[in-house]
Amino acid sequence: MQISKDNLTIIIVTLKSDNVIDGCLKSISPEIKKIVVENSSNFKFVQKLEKTYKNIKVYPTGKNLGMGSGNNFGIKKSKTRYVLILNPDTILKTESIDKMLEVCSEVDFAILSPINEDPKYPNFKFEKNKKRTLDNLFEVDYVDGFAMMLDTHKFDGNFFDENFFMYLENDDLCLRMKKKGEKIYIC
């Protein structure tokens, strides 16, 4: 299936992210649908985001659901086949999403992630790469959760394990997908 901005929703889970979310949202094309799951009852934050940004829906949960449950909440609210899980402090390069969409259209994948270029937090070590499939596309066993594009049809409605409140929820998701024989890539 051809992946485009029309069948992609970006999911961002927040909690007290007022000081970082603007940089993240400004790095995303206004054409792309965005769902922000605010793990609180901060209605001023909700109103500010919905007033400032186009193509966005913000859901205050009333309590801290954690990362796994918050992302599941957002995925269930999305109406697109593809979702990009994005941390609120992540700033994408201008061409990041376009390049990911281009690569995604060429391969069958369950999870795809861009390379994190912050040297303090690398999500991939080139020397440990198992298999290079296309230019700038690497099959891996897991990716960091800062930015994960998911083909929701590969998950049978079983996304993040909500027993993981925060940390390791993305590792568990990758492990389950690999056990099913699904592909995970970094581009």
Side-chain angles (χ1 to χ4, degrees):
M1 175 178 202
Q2 184 68 27
I3 304 171
S4 70
K5 292 177 183 174
D6 294 330
N7 57 3
L8 172 67
T9 302
I10 296 179
I11 311 292
I12 304 169
V13 175
T14 59
L15 176 66
K16 298 180 182 176
S17 300
D18 305 51
N19 60 335
V20 294
I21 190 78
D22 286 318
C24 178
L25 291 171
K26 287 176 183 173
S27 74
I28 301 168
S29 167
E31 307 166 21
I32 299 174
K33 294 176 261 324
K34 295 164 281 300
I35 292 176
V36 175
V37 179
E38 170 54 27
N39 274 332
S40 76
S41 299
N42 186 345
F43 293 103
K44 286 183 180 179
F45 179 71
V46 171
Q47 291 171 338
K48 175 195 165 225
L49 292 183
E50 288 185 342
K51 182 179 176 184
T52 306
Y53 298 98
K54 294 180 180 179
N55 222 356
I56 191 169
K57 182 65 182 147
V58 185
Y59 296 95
T61 62
K63 64 179 182 174
N64 188 354
L65 301 177
M67 291 302 292
S69 294
N71 280 314
N72 286 344
F73 182 94
I75 292 168
K76 289 173 187 167
K77 293 289 185 185
S78 74
K79 297 183 179 4
T80 57
R81 175 173 176 171
Y82 301 96
V83 295
L84 175 60
I85 305 297
L86 197 60
N87 283 355
D89 60 348
T90 301
I91 298 176
L92 298 170
K93 288 188 168 187
T94 306
E95 70 281 354
S96 292
I97 291 178
D98 289 335
K99 293 223 184 252
M100 287 178 73
L101 294 175
E102 179 183 319
V103 168
C104 289
S105 296
E106 298 177 24
V107 295
D108 183 39
F109 74 97
I111 302 172
L112 184 129
S113 179
I115 288 178
N116 185 351
E117 293 184 351
D118 184 338
K120 291 184 225 162
Y121 306 105
N123 65 329
F124 181 61
K125 292 181 173 49
F126 288 98
E127 65 273 11
K128 292 186 179 181
N129 178 43
K130 293 188 314 188
K131 180 180 173 188
R132 185 175 184 152
T133 57
L134 296 170
D135 288 339
N136 300 315
L137 183 67
F138 304 88
E139 185 176 346
V140 294
D141 291 327
Y142 66 92
V143 295
D144 185 31
F146 81 98
M148 302 171 72
M149 187 174 294
L150 310 179
D151 177 347
T152 62
H153 288 187
K154 303 283 183 167
F155 292 83
D156 303 321
N158 187 17
F159 300 102
F160 292 95
D161 183 336
E162 296 186 5
N163 290 310
F164 293 94
F165 183 77
M166 191 166 84
Y167 303 116
L168 301 177
E169 70 279 353
N170 51 297
D171 291 341
D172 172 70
L173 185 70
C174 291
L175 178 63
R176 286 188 286 117
M177 288 297 100
K178 289 304 274 190
K179 283 183 178 179
K180 283 179 61 176
E182 298 292 352
K183 302 290 186 184
I184 301 172
Y185 295 101
I186 288 183
C187 68

